[in-house]
């Protein structure tokens, strides 16, 4: 099974990297972009068939290791083959 974790800054947190990318996009002529948020995409291969326990473990890992819950949100998706 595979899983993905997407970590992004909370909407209430300033994202200077996202602002810099948005400004660069504007300089390249695409002024219609109104917001850009930069985050992390983590892909995992997991040797297990117990989707429920994998999801529970990934929630804990995402909260304690992969994100800073004070300033970041995360989404976990488990993909069974």
């Amino acid at each position: 099974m595979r899983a993905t974790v997407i970590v992004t800054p909370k909407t209430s947190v300033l994202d200077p990297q996202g602002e810099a990318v948005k400004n660069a996009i504007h300089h390249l002529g695409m002024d219609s972009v109104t917001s850009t948020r930069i985050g992390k995409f983590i892909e995992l291969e997991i040797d297990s068939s117990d989707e429920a326990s994998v999801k529970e473990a990934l929630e804990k890992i995402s909260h304690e290791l992969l994100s800073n819950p004070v300033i970041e949100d995360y989404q976990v998706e488990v993909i069974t083959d």
Side-chain angles (χ1 to χ4, degrees), residues 29-78:
M30 190 172 181
D31 293 333
S32 59
V33 174
T34 59
S35 177
T36 306
R37 307 290 283 174
I38 303 295
K40 300 177 273 191
F41 177 84
I42 300 107
E43 188 173 70
L44 304 109
E45 289 286 334
I46 302 160
D47 187 17
S48 177
S49 59
D50 186 355
E51 185 177 347
S53 68
V54 165
K55 176 104 173 162
E56 182 179 328
L58 286 174
E59 288 287 336
K60 181 177 180 179
I61 290 166
S62 297
H63 183 78
E64 294 180 9
L65 176 68
L66 300 177
S67 72
N68 177 346
V70 173
I71 61 169
E72 294 175 316
D73 290 323
Y74 61 87
Q75 296 175 308
V76 175
E77 181 182 6
V78 176

